[in-house]
Amino acid sequence: MGRRHPADPHSRADARGLGVFAVATVLGAEEFGGDALIESLQDSYGSGEGALFSAQEFAEMTAAAVQNECLGDGWVLPTWGLTAARAGRLNEVDFGTLCTVRNVLAVLVQSSLPLRLASRAGLEDPALQHVERARAQSPRLRDYLDCAASVSRRPPAEAWKGFIPLLITICTEPGRLEAFQGDVTALDPALDDVQDLGRRALARLAPASADVAPCMPIQH
C-alpha cells in the first residue's frame, strides 16, 4: 500500500464532508445552503474525542447560517467572526498569552511548506512521521495544521486574513485556549529542525525535476 497523505480523510464521515465542501467550492455554497455545509463540517470534525466543536456550537452555527441566508448575507462560518461576545472574551485574554499563541501559530505556518515538500518527496523522516501521527490523533491539531497550511499559501499581504481569524478562534472558543498548549505540544520535537527537513526535501525533488525536463515534448 502507498503512504497515506496526512490530508486524506480519516473516516467515511470525513470523506463525505470533504466531498460536500469540494462540490460547494465549484458550484457555490448557495447550491447547498449553510445548514448542509455545517452538517458536512460536523461529519468531519464533530464527533469522537477531541471534536473540533461541540454539538451546541454546531447548532448555534447552523442557526446563524440560516439567519444569514434569510437576510441575504450569504454563508459564512459564524465561529470565525469577531462578535461582541468574542470581543469581550478576547479582552480577558492576557496579552502575553495572546503573543504566545500568535508565535506558535507563526511557527506552524512557517513549517507548512517544508512539511509539504517532505511529504511530496516521500522522505521517510522521523519528524515528518511524528507530525502525521500527531495530526491523526487530534482533530483540533489537524485543523490548526490545515489552517496554517492554507495561510502559508497566501501572498504575504493576504496571509493575515486567515491568520487572525484562527488566532481569535483559539483565544475565544470556550475550552480551546486551555487545550491549545497540550494540542501543539504533541508536535514536539518534530518542528525543531523543520527548515533542514525542507532543504533535504528540495534536494531530493530537484534532481527529479531535472530528469523530467528533457522528456517534455518540443513545441513546433
Side-chain angles (χ1 to χ4, degrees):
M1 295 181 63
R3 296 175 69 247
R4 183 178 182 274
H5 192 276
D8 287 346
H10 56 89
S11 68
R12 290 186 178 182
D14 188 22
R16 287 194 299 270
L18 291 173
V20 170
F21 270 98
V23 176
T25 300
V26 177
L27 299 181
E30 63 277 1
E31 294 293 326
F32 289 87
D35 54 343
L37 289 175
I38 291 175
E39 182 179 353
S40 68
L41 179 66
Q42 189 169 10
D43 285 341
S44 292
Y45 294 113
S47 60
E49 184 178 355
L52 187 58
F53 301 109
S54 68
Q56 178 61 34
E57 287 171 320
F58 276 113
E60 292 174 357
M61 279 191 273
T62 300
V66 171
Q67 182 181 25
N68 284 341
E69 288 179 333
C70 291
L71 295 174
D73 293 336
W75 185 80
V76 294
L77 187 58
T79 56
W80 280 25
L82 185 57
T83 63
R86 284 182 179 277
R89 288 196 293 269
L90 193 60
N91 286 335
E92 297 173 359
V93 178
D94 177 76
F95 181 70
T97 300
L98 190 66
C99 291
T100 297
V101 175
R102 176 203 61 192
N103 294 342
V104 171
L105 292 180
V107 170
L108 296 186
V109 172
Q110 292 162 1
S111 301
S112 294
L113 177 57
L115 291 173
R116 285 201 301 275
L117 291 173
S119 180
R120 184 178 302 173
L123 292 184
E124 296 291 340
D125 187 271
L128 180 62
Q129 294 167 354
H130 183 118
V131 172
E132 293 183 3
R133 285 194 302 270
R135 67 178 292 148
Q137 294 169 0
S138 170
R140 283 193 303 263
L141 181 58
R142 183 171 64 251
D143 182 58
Y144 299 151
L145 290 170
D146 288 347
C147 290
S150 177
V151 171
S152 74
R153 291 184 174 96
R154 296 189 179 206
E158 299 285 328
W160 68 270
K161 295 180 181 179
F163 189 93
I164 297 301
L166 179 58
L167 177 62
I168 290 173
T169 297
I170 293 169
C171 292
T172 59
E173 281 294 326
R176 183 74 70 90
L177 184 58
E178 291 78 4
F180 182 71
Q181 181 176 353
D183 291 334
V184 296
T185 299
L187 293 171
D188 291 342
L191 303 183
D192 286 354
D193 204 7
V194 71
Q195 300 304 324
D196 179 67
L197 181 67
R199 285 191 290 270
R200 287 189 283 119
L202 279 175
R204 174 175 291 191
L205 290 169
S209 299
D211 291 342
V212 171
C215 298
M216 295 293 289
I218 299 175
Q219 300 294 327
H220 296 287

